[in-house]
Amino acid sequence: MSFDAMPRNGDGELPLDEGAVREFVGYNLKRAYMVLYPAAQAAVAELDLRIPTFSGLSVIVRNPGIAPSELAERLSMERSNIVVVIDELETRELVTRTKSKTDRRRFALTATMRGKRLLDKAVAAIRRSEERLLQRLTAEEQAKLVELLNKIEAASTD
Amino acid sequence: MSFDAMPRNGDGELPLDEGAVREFVGYNLKRAYMVLYPAAQAAVAELDLRIPTFSGLSVIVRNPGIAPSELAERLSMERSNIVVVIDELETRELVTRTKSKTDRRRFALTATMRGKRLLDKAVAAIRRSEERLLQRLTAEEQAKLVELLNKIEAASTD
DNA sequence: GATAATAGTTATTGACTATAACTATAATTC
DNA sequence: GAATTATAGTTATAGTCAATAACTATTATC
């Protein structure tokens, strides 16, 4: 059994149908992402960080000496775009960029003390933002969600 | 107990740490989205559709007579950006745009036969794409995932 | 009737992504 | 070991989508 869509009379009293998009996991994914992303953006903006810059910093802190190309791969970004991120991090003295001795094509990226401290603050800020927005999900649900998301991510190599 | 990050020697033999980003639901959301979105994009591209155009069409088909501003609201898009979508749909004769009689500021958008047929094809194409990429998830897992995503979306009004 | 609000439009900007072309170094192949 | 190929980083540029401001026409409100 199916219900035909009713023509709208322009007075806006009929509830809007969601459209076929709602059947897709991708659309639901995007809608949820569009809740968390702007919130995270606002959280790090207070520390004068953009999301890509924050992401770069977060990987460099945990991987002292990482090369830009490795960073790009890890974050699935183009090398050309990672350059801008690194420039920003270096200018703000959050990261140092030194020539590798074993391969002079490469740079070794290392977070400064200042970079580490700022990262800690940024992490805390995004945590607060997610805590607020994920209130309706239990810890188990959040874990389950991440597990399912990671299964999708893993499928990209299929 | 914590493990300090090991300095990298530049020979790339150490596995890269994920960085603090991975702790966030938002990051995992984005990574999964970045698997499904380009696939859906490629699927509808074969029908000469972009994702926003497809989304617009999908809502108009189910809501004959819908106004552009309602469409924008339903898809969480700016009115100014919806105009481009509608232009495209009208030019391709997938949708008709007629003045509302009760409120002459408004347009009434209605899908043509051609629009409905193209939507069916596009829906089928995205379905195939998602079926392939969501193979690792059971039907129950997919349902659970959407349920959790919708809880996040609902939190946007908090 | 004057004022404010809404619908649609246009132009423009910004953020992020993607591509191509280039230089330097290193790895390879003959 | 010289020539070729591949890799790392960079620059410039373009594309996509989202966001803002300013404008006109119409309707609603005071």
Short mmCIF file of all heavy atoms in Angstrom, two decimals, chain B residues 37 41 50 52 77-78 80-81 102-105, chain D residues 16-23 25-28:
data_model
loop_
_atom_site.label_atom_id
_atom_site.label_comp_id
_atom_site.label_asym_id
_atom_site.label_seq_id
_atom_site.Cartn_x
_atom_site.Cartn_y
_atom_site.Cartn_z
N TYR B 37 29.70 9.57 0.45
CA TYR B 37 29.37 10.75 -0.36
C TYR B 37 29.95 10.70 -1.77
O TYR B 37 29.20 10.85 -2.75
CB TYR B 37 29.80 12.02 0.36
CG TYR B 37 29.46 13.28 -0.38
CD1 TYR B 37 28.16 13.76 -0.42
CD2 TYR B 37 30.44 13.98 -1.09
CE1 TYR B 37 27.84 14.91 -1.13
CE2 TYR B 37 30.13 15.13 -1.80
CZ TYR B 37 28.85 15.60 -1.82
OH TYR B 37 28.53 16.74 -2.52
N GLN B 41 27.86 10.54 -5.22
CA GLN B 41 28.14 11.57 -6.21
C GLN B 41 28.40 10.94 -7.59
O GLN B 41 27.83 11.36 -8.60
CB GLN B 41 29.37 12.34 -5.76
CG GLN B 41 29.49 13.74 -6.30
CD GLN B 41 30.58 14.50 -5.57
OE1 GLN B 41 31.64 13.96 -5.26
NE2 GLN B 41 30.33 15.77 -5.30
N ARG B 50 23.89 16.47 -9.74
CA ARG B 50 24.74 16.69 -8.58
C ARG B 50 23.91 16.31 -7.35
O ARG B 50 22.68 16.25 -7.42
CB ARG B 50 25.17 18.16 -8.49
CG ARG B 50 26.01 18.61 -9.69
CD ARG B 50 26.34 20.09 -9.64
NE ARG B 50 25.16 20.92 -9.48
CZ ARG B 50 24.89 21.64 -8.41
NH1 ARG B 50 25.73 21.68 -7.40
NH2 ARG B 50 23.79 22.36 -8.35
N PRO B 52 23.12 17.96 -4.52
CA PRO B 52 22.09 18.92 -4.10
C PRO B 52 20.90 18.94 -5.07
O PRO B 52 19.76 19.11 -4.63
CB PRO B 52 22.82 20.26 -4.13
CG PRO B 52 24.27 19.92 -3.98
CD PRO B 52 24.45 18.62 -4.68
N MET B 77 19.09 24.20 3.50
CA MET B 77 19.93 24.99 2.59
C MET B 77 19.46 26.43 2.62
O MET B 77 18.32 26.72 3.00
CB MET B 77 19.83 24.46 1.15
CG MET B 77 20.42 23.09 0.94
SD MET B 77 20.20 22.52 -0.79
CE MET B 77 21.12 23.76 -1.70
N GLU B 78 20.34 27.34 2.22
CA GLU B 78 19.95 28.74 2.11
C GLU B 78 19.03 28.91 0.91
O GLU B 78 19.22 28.27 -0.12
CB GLU B 78 21.18 29.62 1.93
CG GLU B 78 22.06 29.69 3.16
CD GLU B 78 21.33 30.29 4.36
OE1 GLU B 78 20.56 31.25 4.17
OE2 GLU B 78 21.53 29.79 5.48
N SER B 80 18.99 31.26 -1.10
CA SER B 80 19.77 31.74 -2.25
C SER B 80 20.45 30.58 -3.00
O SER B 80 20.63 30.64 -4.20
CB SER B 80 20.82 32.74 -1.79
OG SER B 80 21.70 32.16 -0.86
N ASN B 81 20.78 29.56 -2.29
CA ASN B 81 21.45 28.43 -2.94
C ASN B 81 20.44 27.48 -3.59
O ASN B 81 20.77 26.78 -4.55
CB ASN B 81 22.33 27.68 -1.95
CG ASN B 81 23.51 28.51 -1.49
OD1 ASN B 81 24.05 29.32 -2.26
ND2 ASN B 81 23.89 28.37 -0.24
N THR B 102 -2.60 31.85 -4.59
CA THR B 102 -3.00 32.42 -3.31
C THR B 102 -1.94 33.38 -2.76
O THR B 102 -2.27 34.28 -1.99
CB THR B 102 -3.23 31.31 -2.27
OG1 THR B 102 -2.07 30.48 -2.21
CG2 THR B 102 -4.43 30.46 -2.66
N ASP B 103 -0.69 33.22 -3.15
CA ASP B 103 0.39 34.10 -2.67
C ASP B 103 1.36 34.32 -3.81
O ASP B 103 2.20 33.47 -4.09
CB ASP B 103 1.08 33.48 -1.46
CG ASP B 103 2.14 34.41 -0.87
OD1 ASP B 103 2.58 35.36 -1.57
OD2 ASP B 103 2.55 34.20 0.29
N ARG B 104 1.25 35.48 -4.44
CA ARG B 104 2.01 35.68 -5.67
C ARG B 104 3.50 35.89 -5.46
O ARG B 104 4.25 36.08 -6.42
CB ARG B 104 1.37 36.80 -6.49
CG ARG B 104 0.04 36.28 -7.06
CD ARG B 104 -0.74 37.20 -7.96
NE ARG B 104 -0.02 38.32 -8.53
CZ ARG B 104 -0.28 39.59 -8.21
NH1 ARG B 104 -1.21 39.88 -7.32
NH2 ARG B 104 0.38 40.56 -8.80
N ARG B 105 3.92 35.86 -4.20
CA ARG B 105 5.38 35.86 -3.98
C ARG B 105 5.97 34.48 -4.21
O ARG B 105 7.14 34.33 -4.52
CB ARG B 105 5.68 36.27 -2.53
CG ARG B 105 5.43 37.72 -2.23
CD ARG B 105 5.60 37.98 -0.75
NE ARG B 105 4.65 37.16 0.03
CZ ARG B 105 4.52 37.26 1.35
NH1 ARG B 105 5.27 38.11 2.03
NH2 ARG B 105 3.65 36.52 2.00
P DT D 16 32.11 21.93 -10.27
OP1 DT D 16 31.68 20.79 -11.11
OP2 DT D 16 31.67 23.31 -10.59
"O5'" DT D 16 31.71 21.63 -8.76
"C5'" DT D 16 32.51 20.75 -7.98
"C4'" DT D 16 32.08 20.85 -6.54
"O4'" DT D 16 32.84 21.89 -5.88
"C3'" DT D 16 30.59 21.22 -6.37
"O3'" DT D 16 30.03 20.35 -5.40
"C2'" DT D 16 30.64 22.68 -5.92
"C1'" DT D 16 31.95 22.72 -5.14
N1 DT D 16 32.62 24.04 -5.02
C2 DT D 16 33.17 24.40 -3.79
O2 DT D 16 33.11 23.70 -2.82
N3 DT D 16 33.77 25.63 -3.78
C4 DT D 16 33.89 26.52 -4.84
O4 DT D 16 34.46 27.59 -4.70
C5 DT D 16 33.29 26.08 -6.08
C7 DT D 16 33.37 26.96 -7.28
C6 DT D 16 32.70 24.87 -6.12
P DC D 17 28.41 20.22 -5.35
OP1 DC D 17 28.14 18.80 -5.17
OP2 DC D 17 27.81 20.99 -6.44
"O5'" DC D 17 28.09 20.96 -3.98
"C5'" DC D 17 28.74 20.51 -2.79
"C4'" DC D 17 28.80 21.63 -1.77
"O4'" DC D 17 29.60 22.71 -2.29
"C3'" DC D 17 27.44 22.24 -1.42
"O3'" DC D 17 27.19 21.98 -0.04
"C2'" DC D 17 27.61 23.73 -1.73
"C1'" DC D 17 29.13 23.89 -1.70
N1 DC D 17 29.67 25.05 -2.45
C2 DC D 17 30.51 25.96 -1.81
O2 DC D 17 30.80 25.76 -0.62
N3 DC D 17 31.00 27.02 -2.50
C4 DC D 17 30.68 27.18 -3.78
N4 DC D 17 31.18 28.24 -4.42
C5 DC D 17 29.82 26.27 -4.46
C6 DC D 17 29.33 25.22 -3.77
P DA D 18 25.87 22.57 0.66
OP1 DA D 18 25.41 21.54 1.60
OP2 DA D 18 24.97 23.12 -0.37
"O5'" DA D 18 26.47 23.79 1.50
"C5'" DA D 18 27.65 23.60 2.25
"C4'" DA D 18 28.00 24.89 2.96
"O4'" DA D 18 28.57 25.82 2.01
"C3'" DA D 18 26.81 25.59 3.59
"O3'" DA D 18 27.20 26.09 4.87
"C2'" DA D 18 26.49 26.71 2.61
"C1'" DA D 18 27.85 27.02 2.02
N9 DA D 18 27.80 27.49 0.64
C8 DA D 18 27.18 26.89 -0.42
N7 DA D 18 27.33 27.53 -1.55
C5 DA D 18 28.11 28.62 -1.21
C6 DA D 18 28.63 29.69 -1.97
N6 DA D 18 28.43 29.85 -3.28
N1 DA D 18 29.37 30.61 -1.31
C2 DA D 18 29.58 30.45 0.00
N3 DA D 18 29.15 29.49 0.81
C4 DA D 18 28.42 28.60 0.13
P DA D 19 26.18 26.93 5.76
OP1 DA D 19 26.56 26.67 7.17
OP2 DA D 19 24.82 26.65 5.28
"O5'" DA D 19 26.52 28.45 5.43
"C5'" DA D 19 27.84 28.92 5.63
"C4'" DA D 19 27.87 30.43 5.47
"O4'" DA D 19 27.90 30.75 4.07
"C3'" DA D 19 26.65 31.14 6.05
"O3'" DA D 19 27.11 32.23 6.84
"C2'" DA D 19 25.85 31.59 4.82
"C1'" DA D 19 26.95 31.74 3.78
N9 DA D 19 26.51 31.52 2.40
C8 DA D 19 25.68 30.52 1.93
N7 DA D 19 25.47 30.57 0.64
C5 DA D 19 26.21 31.67 0.22
C6 DA D 19 26.43 32.25 -1.04
N6 DA D 19 25.85 31.78 -2.16
N1 DA D 19 27.23 33.33 -1.10
C2 DA D 19 27.79 33.79 0.03
N3 DA D 19 27.67 33.33 1.27
C4 DA D 19 26.86 32.25 1.30
P DT D 20 26.07 33.26 7.54
OP1 DT D 20 26.66 33.59 8.85
OP2 DT D 20 24.71 32.72 7.45
"O5'" DT D 20 26.14 34.55 6.61
"C5'" DT D 20 27.43 35.03 6.22
"C4'" DT D 20 27.27 36.33 5.45
"O4'" DT D 20 27.02 36.03 4.06
"C3'" DT D 20 26.10 37.19 5.92
"O3'" DT D 20 26.58 38.52 6.10
"C2'" DT D 20 25.07 37.09 4.79
"C1'" DT D 20 25.94 36.79 3.58
N1 DT D 20 25.29 36.00 2.50
C2 DT D 20 25.51 36.36 1.20
O2 DT D 20 26.20 37.30 0.88
N3 DT D 20 24.88 35.56 0.28
C4 DT D 20 24.07 34.47 0.53
O4 DT D 20 23.56 33.84 -0.38
C5 DT D 20 23.88 34.15 1.93
C7 DT D 20 23.03 32.98 2.31
C6 DT D 20 24.50 34.91 2.84
P DA D 21 25.60 39.66 6.70
OP1 DA D 21 26.30 40.27 7.84
OP2 DA D 21 24.24 39.11 6.88
"O5'" DA D 21 25.56 40.70 5.50
"C5'" DA D 21 26.57 40.65 4.49
"C4'" DA D 21 26.13 41.49 3.32
"O4'" DA D 21 25.58 40.64 2.28
"C3'" DA D 21 25.03 42.51 3.65
"O3'" DA D 21 25.30 43.70 2.93
"C2'" DA D 21 23.76 41.82 3.19
"C1'" DA D 21 24.26 41.06 1.97
N9 DA D 21 23.50 39.85 1.64
C8 DA D 21 22.96 38.94 2.49
N7 DA D 21 22.33 37.95 1.89
C5 DA D 21 22.49 38.23 0.54
C6 DA D 21 22.06 37.57 -0.62
N6 DA D 21 21.36 36.43 -0.60
N1 DA D 21 22.37 38.12 -1.82
C2 DA D 21 23.07 39.26 -1.82
N3 DA D 21 23.54 39.98 -0.81
C4 DA D 21 23.20 39.40 0.37
P DA D 22 24.43 45.01 3.19
OP1 DA D 22 25.41 46.10 3.35
OP2 DA D 22 23.39 44.76 4.22
"O5'" DA D 22 23.69 45.20 1.79
"C5'" DA D 22 24.45 45.08 0.58
"C4'" DA D 22 23.50 44.99 -0.58
"O4'" DA D 22 22.93 43.66 -0.63
"C3'" DA D 22 22.31 45.97 -0.50
"O3'" DA D 22 22.13 46.59 -1.76
"C2'" DA D 22 21.13 45.06 -0.15
"C1'" DA D 22 21.54 43.77 -0.85
N9 DA D 22 20.91 42.56 -0.33
C8 DA D 22 20.70 42.22 0.98
N7 DA D 22 20.10 41.05 1.13
C5 DA D 22 19.89 40.61 -0.17
C6 DA D 22 19.30 39.44 -0.69
N6 DA D 22 18.78 38.48 0.06
N1 DA D 22 19.28 39.33 -2.04
C2 DA D 22 19.80 40.29 -2.80
N3 DA D 22 20.37 41.44 -2.41
C4 DA D 22 20.39 41.53 -1.08
P DC D 23 21.21 47.89 -1.86
OP1 DC D 23 21.94 48.86 -2.68
OP2 DC D 23 20.74 48.25 -0.51
"O5'" DC D 23 19.93 47.36 -2.68
"C5'" DC D 23 20.11 46.95 -4.02
"C4'" DC D 23 19.00 46.01 -4.41
"O4'" DC D 23 19.00 44.86 -3.53
"C3'" DC D 23 17.58 46.57 -4.27
"O3'" DC D 23 17.16 47.16 -5.49
"C2'" DC D 23 16.74 45.33 -3.94
"C1'" DC D 23 17.75 44.22 -3.73
N1 DC D 23 17.42 43.37 -2.56
C2 DC D 23 16.81 42.14 -2.79
O2 DC D 23 16.58 41.81 -3.95
N3 DC D 23 16.48 41.35 -1.74
C4 DC D 23 16.74 41.76 -0.50
N4 DC D 23 16.40 40.94 0.50
C5 DC D 23 17.36 43.02 -0.23
C6 DC D 23 17.68 43.78 -1.28
P DA D 25 10.07 45.68 -8.48
OP1 DA D 25 9.77 45.77 -9.92
OP2 DA D 25 9.91 46.86 -7.61
"O5'" DA D 25 9.18 44.51 -7.86
"C5'" DA D 25 9.27 43.20 -8.43
"C4'" DA D 25 8.37 42.26 -7.66
"O4'" DA D 25 8.91 42.08 -6.32
"C3'" DA D 25 6.93 42.76 -7.46
"O3'" DA D 25 6.06 41.68 -7.75
"C2'" DA D 25 6.87 43.17 -6.00
"C1'" DA D 25 7.89 42.24 -5.37
N9 DA D 25 8.54 42.75 -4.15
C8 DA D 25 9.15 43.96 -3.98
N7 DA D 25 9.65 44.14 -2.77
C5 DA D 25 9.37 42.96 -2.11
C6 DA D 25 9.64 42.52 -0.81
N6 DA D 25 10.27 43.23 0.11
N1 DA D 25 9.20 41.27 -0.47
C2 DA D 25 8.56 40.54 -1.39
N3 DA D 25 8.25 40.85 -2.65
C4 DA D 25 8.69 42.08 -2.95
P DT D 26 4.46 41.97 -7.86
OP1 DT D 26 3.93 41.06 -8.89
OP2 DT D 26 4.23 43.44 -7.92
"O5'" DT D 26 3.92 41.46 -6.44
"C5'" DT D 26 4.10 40.09 -6.11
"C4'" DT D 26 3.90 39.91 -4.63
"O4'" DT D 26 4.81 40.76 -3.91
"C3'" DT D 26 2.51 40.27 -4.11
"O3'" DT D 26 1.84 39.05 -3.80
"C2'" DT D 26 2.77 41.13 -2.88
"C1'" DT D 26 4.27 40.91 -2.63
N1 DT D 26 4.99 42.02 -1.95
C2 DT D 26 5.43 41.82 -0.66
O2 DT D 26 5.23 40.79 -0.05
N3 DT D 26 6.10 42.89 -0.11
C4 DT D 26 6.39 44.10 -0.72
O4 DT D 26 7.01 44.97 -0.12
C5 DT D 26 5.90 44.23 -2.07
C7 DT D 26 6.15 45.51 -2.82
C6 DT D 26 5.24 43.20 -2.62
P DT D 27 0.31 39.08 -3.33
OP1 DT D 27 -0.30 37.79 -3.73
OP2 DT D 27 -0.30 40.36 -3.75
"O5'" DT D 27 0.44 39.09 -1.74
"C5'" DT D 27 1.12 38.00 -1.11
"C4'" DT D 27 1.34 38.31 0.35
"O4'" DT D 27 2.16 39.48 0.48
"C3'" DT D 27 0.05 38.59 1.14
"O3'" DT D 27 -0.01 37.64 2.18
"C2'" DT D 27 0.23 40.03 1.65
"C1'" DT D 27 1.76 40.17 1.64
N1 DT D 27 2.29 41.55 1.53
C2 DT D 27 3.08 42.04 2.53
O2 DT D 27 3.37 41.41 3.52
N3 DT D 27 3.55 43.32 2.33
C4 DT D 27 3.30 44.14 1.25
O4 DT D 27 3.76 45.26 1.17
C5 DT D 27 2.45 43.56 0.23
C7 DT D 27 2.12 44.36 -0.98
C6 DT D 27 2.00 42.31 0.41
P DA D 28 -1.24 37.60 3.22
OP1 DA D 28 -1.49 36.18 3.56
OP2 DA D 28 -2.33 38.46 2.73
"O5'" DA D 28 -0.58 38.30 4.49
"C5'" DA D 28 0.64 37.80 5.01
"C4'" DA D 28 1.04 38.59 6.25
"O4'" DA D 28 1.52 39.90 5.86
"C3'" DA D 28 -0.09 38.82 7.26
"O3'" DA D 28 0.46 38.62 8.56
"C2'" DA D 28 -0.50 40.28 7.00
"C1'" DA D 28 0.83 40.90 6.56
N9 DA D 28 0.71 42.02 5.62
C8 DA D 28 0.00 42.05 4.46
N7 DA D 28 0.09 43.19 3.80
C5 DA D 28 0.92 43.95 4.61
C6 DA D 28 1.42 45.27 4.48
N6 DA D 28 1.14 46.07 3.43
N1 DA D 28 2.23 45.73 5.45
C2 DA D 28 2.52 44.93 6.48
N3 DA D 28 2.11 43.68 6.72
C4 DA D 28 1.31 43.25 5.73
#
